[in-house]
Amino acid sequence: MKEDLIICRCEEVSLREITEAIAGGAVTSRQVKLATRAGMGFCQGRTCRHFVEQLTGDEPGAEPLGSMAYKPPVRPTSFGRLAGEGQE
């Protein structure tokens, strides 16, 4: 295993940090999330969630009690609106 491999790009959480959290008693992916911030970044776990669930042994898609939940943005918006297009 490459210990310096980044699993959560948004929060820059490495494989080493996740395996240390698991060794320290984080049994579920939710506990790993709380211990390392993996899955708490901009994408809310859309890219790293599956890796963390595999490392902890959580069943993907089963939504067990300790599974990481990810949330969509509160309200979708366009980049044009963010840039102020159409506003005077």
Side-chain angles (χ1 to χ4, degrees):
M1 268 198 262
K2 260 195 138 177
E3 295 293 320
D4 58 342
L5 177 70
I6 298 294
I7 299 295
C8 178
R9 294 181 294 200
C10 298
E11 292 293 319
E12 297 183 3
V13 180
S14 69
L15 179 59
R16 171 179 287 131
E17 292 172 277
I18 292 172
T19 54
E20 286 174 357
I22 293 169
V27 187
T28 65
S29 54
R30 176 158 167 63
Q31 290 173 338
V32 169
K33 177 181 179 178
L34 294 173
T36 65
R37 295 197 48 84
M40 290 187 180
F42 182 72
C43 80
Q44 292 292 293
R46 285 180 188 83
T47 57
C48 65
R49 175 181 146 182
H50 300 291
F51 295 119
V52 175
E53 287 176 346
Q54 286 178 353
L55 291 169
T56 58
D58 288 350
E59 303 243 347
E63 293 300 326
L65 181 62
S67 180
M68 288 173 62
Y70 60 92
K71 301 171 182 92
V74 174
R75 183 177 34 210
T77 188
S78 68
F79 285 113
R81 185 172 194 153
L82 291 173
E85 289 179 9
Q87 297 179 358
E88 301 190 23

